[in-house]
Amino acid sequence: MKERIISLDVLRGITIMMMVLVNNPGSWGNIFAPLEHAEWNGCTPTDLVFPFFIFILGAAIPLAIVTKVLNQQTFIKILTRSLRIICLGMFLSFFGKIELFDLEGYYLLLSKLIITGIVAYLLLGNFEQKVKFYLVLTVFSIFIFLAFSGIEAYHDVRLPGVLQRIGVVYFFASLVYLKTEINGQIFTVALLLLGYWAVMTLIPVPGFGPANLEKGTNLAGWIDNLLLENHLYIATKTWDPEGILSTIPAIANGIVGLLVGQLLNSSLAKNDKAMKMFAVGLVLVIFGLIWNEFFPMNKSLWTSSFVLYTAGLATLFLALFYYIIDIKGYKTWTTPLLFWGVNPMIVFFFSGILPRVLSSIQVANPAYIIGNLDEIPKEIGLQQYLNKFCILPHFDDPKVASLIWALLNITFWSVVLWYFYKKKLFFKV
């Protein structure tokens, strides 16, 4: 690992913090507009979180890969890390589906937690490279077997996801870095974005007719349903916002980050690096806004205009932080954000496990009335209980109460990450 660039860690920390904020409202029905995804076309602040993380992932590659040589050892190392990220994401989908003998209630939950600990150890543990590879290959094979085994509990488990896409992008962006130079990387970005635009807007969709960009009837959705039927996002059923075809342009976000990372790693003066980043970021945002008129920004489809716009904004933010932190030297305020920035995967994974656990713990529902015709449940999940009966009564606006729960999550993880940081515990995939 080369010398860390603090501004990159800070941007990563803010991005992970935003992820926890937008993924953990007290109530999904009460969210402030900026903390929601765009309903279809468009781009909200929340829509920036995922592409920012992919950009940062790409920017870190040139800083982490010391020798730019692709051999068998390097390939296995990249593949192992990619599969570890993918498997962490897949386990989040499997967690709620786990069945073990005839266990129920807290015995089943305890079993799930034990399995979670084992999986986390296997995927985050610091083993020899060969051991890492065979362990993750085994875990991945088990997940795929369960998904397609015909076992009822797993017949509809979701296979795509956020971490899965991150793992795929990391794999291809790393290979692009090792096999191409700057011009080749720029050409690859152009090829991916123009190619995706052509495929999505020119190829007819079997069973639906002409090419279109509507929900469920576009080519990306058709491919998802064809190849991953029954294993897609439960809310959409026939297509997935992190689906197969739409992952291809996401690789371009990683490669743009790759280009910026190489700029940061160059011998240019720091002021020149900042100026170039500002210029590149501004150009990407402008081109993204122009392309938006013909190929609308859409996170679920991960359109080419969305790639340019979000990669441009990420570059601008990084340029700003680089100027403030690495050039001007204003670093004191960054420490709390570094807690988050240097341990992203542990938060990504366990902040997904925590709400699943809290929702599995059933407590008495104070609103339950015997014989009530509305069939109010006798028990509710602990997370719902805490939000509805411990937080909501103290606020007139349910959206504020919902936000407070998300902020409590950030506070909790800040304490955990502060402890890890002080103890120099850094969890890497």
Side-chain angles (χ1 to χ4, degrees):
M1 176 70 75
K2 300 176 184 177
E3 182 182 354
R4 297 195 75 95
I5 296 176
I6 297 176
S7 53
L8 189 63
D9 284 332
V10 167
L11 182 59
R12 186 190 294 110
I14 292 173
T15 302
I16 297 294
M17 192 180 291
M18 278 295 297
M19 180 206 71
V20 173
L21 182 70
V22 302
N23 285 350
N24 293 277
S27 167
W28 287 103
N30 293 292
I31 307 174
F32 288 107
L35 301 181
E36 289 192 274
H37 290 292
E39 199 277 327
W40 188 240
N41 291 335
C43 184
T44 71
T46 297
D47 291 322
L48 299 176
V49 174
F50 193 2
F52 269 43
F53 191 83
I54 290 178
F55 168 88
I56 296 164
L57 178 84
I61 290 173
L63 306 176
I65 299 179
V66 179
T67 305
K68 193 176 177 181
V69 175
L70 180 60
N71 51 32
Q72 183 179 16
Q73 182 181 0
T74 305
F75 180 81
I76 293 298
K77 187 175 181 180
I78 291 170
L79 178 60
T80 300
R81 186 166 191 238
S82 175
L83 285 175
R84 283 182 131 198
I85 297 170
I86 289 170
C87 285
L88 285 170
M90 291 176 72
F91 184 75
L92 292 177
S93 297
F94 275 88
F95 182 86
K97 303 284 185 179
I98 293 174
E99 292 184 356
L100 202 59
F101 308 112
D102 294 323
L103 294 179
E104 295 181 352
Y106 292 121
Y107 290 108
L108 178 59
L109 178 58
L110 179 61
S111 299
K112 287 182 178 181
L113 291 175
I114 292 172
I115 293 172
T116 300
I118 294 171
V119 170
Y121 177 67
L122 295 178
L123 298 178
L124 293 169
N126 187 22
F127 310 103
E128 291 183 4
Q129 184 57 50
K130 184 180 290 188
V131 175
K132 280 184 183 181
F133 176 66
Y134 286 116
L135 283 176
V136 75
L137 204 59
T138 301
V139 173
F140 180 76
S141 299
I142 291 172
F143 287 159
I144 295 300
F145 167 75
L146 290 174
F148 295 100
S149 64
I151 299 174
E152 181 65 24
Y154 309 109
H155 82 284
D156 61 350
V157 66
R158 185 190 183 198
L159 293 180
V162 172
L163 283 173
Q164 292 90 313
R165 175 168 286 182
I166 289 171
V168 171
V169 170
Y170 169 77
F171 177 77
F172 285 105
S174 296
L175 295 184
V176 167
Y177 171 65
L178 292 174
K179 293 299 292 182
T180 64
E181 300 303 326
I182 300 294
N183 288 339
Q185 293 159 23
I186 294 173
F187 174 79
T188 302
V189 170
L191 181 65
L192 289 173
L193 298 186
L194 289 170
Y196 185 64
W197 164 78
V199 165
M200 289 295 291
T201 59
L202 300 178
I203 297 179
V205 185
F208 293 103
N212 70 89
L213 302 174
E214 301 303 319
K215 288 183 183 178
T217 62
N218 59 75
L219 188 64
W222 180 80
I223 290 176
D224 288 343
N225 198 48
L226 176 69
L227 299 179
L228 294 174
E229 185 179 8
N230 297 326
H231 295 289
L232 303 170
Y233 185 43
I234 191 171
T236 51
K237 295 185 175 22
T238 60
W239 60 276
D240 199 287
E242 279 78 51
I244 297 170
L245 188 61
S246 60
T247 295
I248 294 175
I251 297 171
N253 283 88
I255 298 176
V256 174
L258 194 67
L259 290 162
V260 173
Q262 290 168 97
L263 173 61
L264 289 171
N265 209 27
S266 71
S267 59
L268 285 175
K270 288 185 175 182
N271 281 320
D272 292 337
K273 293 177 185 179
M275 290 302 296
K276 282 198 172 187
M277 280 192 284
F278 274 118
V280 169
L282 189 59
V283 168
L284 290 175
V285 168
I286 291 172
F287 273 90
L289 291 171
I290 293 172
W291 208 346
N292 176 58
E293 298 300 314
F294 310 96
F295 194 26
M297 290 182 203
N298 187 302
K299 177 184 175 293
S300 294
L301 295 179
W302 212 276
T303 52
S304 303
S305 58
F306 179 76
V307 171
L308 293 180
Y309 181 71
T310 55
L313 286 179
T315 305
L316 288 173
F317 272 98
L318 181 57
L320 177 62
F321 290 141
Y322 186 73
Y323 179 77
I324 294 171
I325 299 167
D326 294 288
I327 294 178
K328 290 298 184 181
Y330 299 119
K331 300 178 181 180
T332 306
W333 63 278
T334 66
T335 302
L337 297 171
L338 290 178
F339 300 161
W340 290 76
V342 298
N343 254 326
M345 275 306 152
I346 201 77
V347 183
F348 240 118
F349 181 64
F350 283 104
S351 69
I353 293 293
L354 183 59
R356 288 167 168 83
V357 171
L358 292 178
S359 296
S360 298
I361 300 173
Q362 296 293 302
V363 297
N365 183 1
Y368 174 71
I369 302 174
I370 297 177
N372 188 282
L373 297 178
D374 293 332
E375 298 182 355
I376 297 175
K378 189 174 183 178
E379 294 183 329
I380 56 175
L382 179 59
Q383 179 163 315
Q384 185 182 358
Y385 172 86
L386 292 172
N387 278 285
K388 190 172 183 179
F389 298 104
C390 298
I391 297 178
L392 184 58
H394 299 286
F395 298 92
D396 295 328
D397 188 343
K399 291 183 178 180
V400 174
S402 183
L403 177 61
I404 292 298
W405 176 260
L407 293 174
L408 287 174
N409 271 267
I410 288 179
T411 303
F412 168 77
W413 283 111
S414 294
V415 173
V416 171
L417 293 171
W418 167 81
Y419 177 80
F420 289 159
Y421 190 82
K422 289 297 182 183
K423 295 295 182 179
K424 299 187 185 303
L425 296 173
F426 305 113
F427 299 89
K428 306 294 182 182
V429 290

